[in-house]
Amino acid sequence: MNIEEYKDVWVFIEQQEGQIIDVGLELLGAGRELADKLEVNLCGVLLGHQVKESANFLYSYGADIVYVIDDPVLEQYRTETYMTAVGDLVRKYKPEIFIYGATANGKDLASAVATEVMTGLTADTTLLDIDLEKRMFEASRPAFGGNIMATILCKKHRPQMATVRPKVIKKPEPVQGREGKTIEETISIKEEDLVTKVLEIVRDTEKAVNLEEATVIVAAGKGIKDAKGFAMVKELAEVLNASVGASRDVVEAGLCEHDHQVGQTGLTVTPKIYFAIGISGAIQHVVGMQNAEMIIAINNDPEATIFNVSHYGVVGDAFEIVPMLTEEFRKVFKGEESEGVTADV
Ligand code: FAD
């Protein structure tokens, strides 16, 4: 493989029922920085049916070129069709770097493409950079149980590929009127050649929690001890119209479902306000919430590491402080005059 032939930064633009999902736009923001450092084009890869028109939208988020394959066979995600389409594009246009959202489909596709074009893949990265001297893509992710950040290089194969979790990177502001170029390609596979058929899409309507989109999250850690403590945290969340998050220990104690878990093996969240109640601040939790705009920690241990990442810290017993906060916020939202929180903390 002559790696010199490979250039440009590519981003896989995932769509669901024709709607582009946010992670692709977030990655265009990150990709723009990488492409600018390397002085190459930033390209989006958009597959689907009747999706061509969305290319203009992608230019406004920083794409210079959008490769589009618009075909009924690509309407729904299937590994076989998407892998073939992307593999053909990679072989023809030779990108230097290719990043995908670490969604269920993004992870499936990236790993299939890695085997199809015989290159490496770094999964679930949280930091992307370039070593300009060596012209090498640096994809970093927590490793060894989150105790270190490992920077992974793909030295001998191209493209250098990574998946990035949704919400790890901030979506850039669109620049209206920004223009680019669309390159249309075709896929040779026909529906009758395919063994996998999508018969029906069944939505998980039970899954009411959408922590990744929440503006305010009230999260419980093991310090809340039991179901009574968890109910106390839920009450504060209700008054604030917030979503409830949890550390892994709380999920493992059976106090809530895994959908609520924030962290390395849970979700990455970026709310405006994150209350960390009785959470110690283990790195595996922190990687999932450290990009919140404001972190308010309540912990009875003044040395708790959560205070290293929090903007406001309250040292004290959650069982005293949380009910007081709930009461005060209730008054504020009802328009009653607050007397102020007088906790001895
Ligand atoms: P603890 O660490 O036990 O902390 C409890 C805190 O509550 C303490 O700081 C204590 O001072 C405080 N406290 C106690 N009583 C009170 C009180 N009355 N009032 C106020 N504060 C009080 N963890 C995650 O959260 N998410 C993950 O995705 C995740 N993934 C992991 C993946 C791997 C591979 C590994 C090895 C671990 C992972 N963990 C994850 C676990 C992580 O290492 C920690 O064990 C976990 O985050 C600790 O949860 P905690 O902060 O709730 O509990």
Side-chain angles (χ1 to χ4, degrees):
M1 170 178 281
N2 180 7
I3 62 175
E4 312 276 299
E5 288 177 358
Y6 287 72
K7 63 176 172 56
D8 292 349
V9 174
W10 283 19
V11 172
F12 178 67
I13 305 295
E14 186 173 338
Q15 52 82 19
Q16 283 167 4
E17 295 174 16
Q19 295 297 312
I20 288 169
I21 62 167
D22 268 359
V23 68
L25 307 178
E26 293 161 15
L27 295 187
L28 284 177
R32 186 69 266 164
E33 282 181 27
L34 301 175
D36 288 345
K37 280 188 186 170
L38 292 166
E39 297 178 12
V40 295
N41 286 318
L42 173 65
C43 311
V45 174
L46 178 61
L47 310 184
H49 182 43
Q50 296 179 334
V51 291
K52 214 164 30 185
E53 299 306 318
S54 301
N56 291 334
F57 178 64
L58 299 176
Y59 304 140
S60 69
Y61 279 92
D64 301 309
I65 297 173
V66 179
Y67 293 100
V68 180
I69 307 185
D70 200 312
D71 191 295
V73 89
L74 296 168
E75 184 161 8
Q76 262 114 26
Y77 178 78
R78 281 176 284 183
T79 312
E80 199 180 354
T81 46
Y82 273 61
M83 178 189 76
T84 307
V86 173
D88 286 349
L89 287 176
V90 166
R91 278 185 284 266
K92 182 164 178 186
Y93 294 100
K94 298 186 176 16
E96 189 170 1
I97 294 172
F98 197 170
I99 49 181
Y100 308 70
T103 58
N105 291 347
K107 287 195 234 186
D108 182 72
L109 176 64
S111 50
V113 172
T115 53
E116 170 79 6
V117 301
M118 301 285 279
T119 190
L121 169 69
T122 307
D124 271 344
T125 50
T126 52
L127 211 67
L128 308 175
D129 206 354
I130 301 283
D131 177 344
L132 261 183
E133 212 176 294
K134 297 188 179 128
R135 204 179 170 90
M136 188 67 69
F137 178 49
E138 298 181 326
S140 303
R141 53 157 295 152
F144 293 105
N147 291 321
I148 60 157
M149 284 294 281
T151 298
I152 297 165
L153 310 177
C154 178
K155 290 185 174 169
K156 296 187 179 150
H157 297 269
R158 293 291 180 271
Q160 303 162 91
M161 305 214 303
T163 60
V164 184
R165 280 198 197 191
K167 301 288 173 191
V168 165
I169 292 160
K170 208 165 170 237
K171 191 165 84 173
E173 286 301 320
V175 178
Q176 300 310 334
R178 195 177 175 281
E179 289 183 358
K181 182 169 132 193
T182 302
I183 298 180
E184 283 188 59
E185 286 288 341
T186 53
I187 180 165
S188 51
I189 298 180
K190 301 267 170 288
E191 188 59 51
E192 49 275 22
D193 304 331
L194 292 163
V195 288
T196 317
K197 308 280 174 200
V198 179
L199 301 180
E200 193 187 355
I201 296 175
V202 182
R203 288 188 196 291
D204 186 358
T205 48
E206 295 286 302
K207 201 174 164 188
V209 195
N210 192 358
L211 276 191
E212 285 165 316
E213 302 300 328
T215 314
V216 181
I217 295 176
V218 181
K222 211 168 146 194
I224 58 96
K225 298 188 173 49
D226 51 21
K228 213 168 138 213
F230 192 68
M232 170 184 83
V233 167
K234 268 172 84 177
E235 199 181 343
L236 174 59
E238 263 162 39
V239 170
L240 292 172
N241 198 17
S243 300
V244 177
S247 71
R248 188 176 80 168
D249 288 34
V250 168
V251 174
E252 284 182 349
L255 297 174
C256 63
E257 295 296 319
H258 184 259
D259 301 13
H260 294 266
Q261 185 177 316
V262 173
Q264 189 186 323
T265 43
L267 297 165
T268 304
V269 296
T270 51
K272 286 198 185 307
I273 308 176
Y274 188 89
F275 286 88
I277 303 174
I279 293 177
S280 59
I283 182 70
Q284 296 88 352
H285 185 83
V286 169
V287 290
M289 45 66 84
Q290 63 193 349
N291 291 332
E293 277 180 37
M294 183 195 289
I295 299 169
I296 303 170
I298 302 170
N299 198 302
N300 62 3
D301 174 7
E303 303 297 325
T305 45
I306 192 73
F307 291 128
N308 298 340
V309 292
S310 58
H311 304 91
Y312 295 95
V314 184
V315 179
D317 184 358
F319 290 89
E320 283 179 31
I321 295 155
V322 174
M324 276 193 272
L325 281 178
T326 307
E327 234 14 75
E328 286 302 308
F329 281 125
R330 194 170 272 136
K331 284 181 198 165
V332 171
F333 290 123
K334 273 192 185 156
E336 286 178 29
E337 205 171 299
S338 162
E339 288 166 7
V341 177
T342 54
D344 183 16
V345 291

